[in-house]
Amino acid sequence: MSREPLSRERALAAAVALVDAEGLKALTMRRLAAGLGVEAMSLYHHVPGKEGLLDGLAETVIAEIAAAVGAAGQSGDWQAQLRQRFLLARDVMLRHPWAPALLGSRPAIPPALFAYYDEIVGTLTAGGFPPHLAHRALHAFGTMALGFVQELFTPPAPTPTHRRPTSPRWRRPCRT
């Protein structure tokens, strides 16, 4: 019985499955290699280290969003098209709850994200927006275009190191 040859796509698919099941902290090159039935060093022929693996995960999520949008097609006015696009992106983010944090942490923007945003601007300009307003609208949408709203989060409970001072000094107005 021969096993499937290792490829970048196979490594990324296994990484997505691992992170979906156990979270980003569980992802290590050794752990991924063990799940694939290969030596960790074999992965380095397909992904250039942990950072390259994380970049690949970001690219995979963006590709999944683009595939969902492409499969759905476009119908309705610009508002309906954008609503559908954002909701399809949300479906992807719900399948991969770790993805918003990952996308926000990468130092480089995945190249496919430029095409995705360009399609949003194209939808807006086709709907009558001048290019400069379409660009501003894209910024106003923020991360909603990717299926999540970064501003809505549940902050962690304060830890002992993050308590407010107990001294009444912090209540006094500053003197200038």
Side-chain angles (χ1 to χ4, degrees):
M1 176 174 139
S2 67
R3 67 177 176 202
E4 184 181 351
L6 186 58
S7 65
R8 183 174 193 273
E9 292 75 24
R10 184 171 166 230
L12 290 174
V16 168
L18 174 62
V19 175
D20 281 346
E22 300 182 36
L24 275 172
K25 290 186 181 192
L27 181 64
T28 65
M29 297 298 274
R30 288 180 192 217
R31 181 93 185 272
L32 179 59
L36 289 165
V38 299
E39 293 294 323
M41 290 307 292
S42 301
L43 288 174
Y44 290 93
H45 292 286
H46 305 282
V47 290
K50 176 85 179 261
E51 292 302 309
L53 181 60
L54 294 174
D55 288 341
L57 284 176
E59 292 166 11
T60 300
V61 169
I62 299 302
E64 190 174 335
I65 292 170
V69 169
Q74 294 185 354
S75 61
D77 63 2
W78 66 269
Q79 292 166 327
Q81 290 177 28
L82 291 181
R83 182 176 191 281
Q84 179 186 31
R85 175 181 291 271
F86 296 178
L87 289 174
L88 289 168
R90 175 105 177 115
D91 290 343
V92 172
M93 292 298 164
L94 290 173
R95 283 193 298 275
H96 309 300
W98 46 268
L102 176 70
L103 291 171
S105 73
R106 303 316 309 144
I109 297 171
L113 191 54
F114 292 115
Y116 179 77
Y117 283 151
D118 191 51
E119 290 171 3
I120 292 171
V121 170
T123 300
L124 290 166
T125 55
F129 282 70
H132 73 281
L133 286 182
H135 181 245
R136 286 187 183 185
L138 181 62
H139 284 282
F141 293 141
T143 57
M144 259 192 329
L146 293 173
F148 66 98
V149 179
Q150 195 168 359
E151 291 78 17
L152 297 179
F153 70 100
T154 305
T159 60
T161 59
H162 292 101
R163 288 188 189 151
R164 281 200 314 195
T166 54
S167 165
R169 284 187 300 166
W170 68 272
R171 291 188 190 137
R172 283 188 247 157
C174 294
R175 293 189 179 111
T176 55

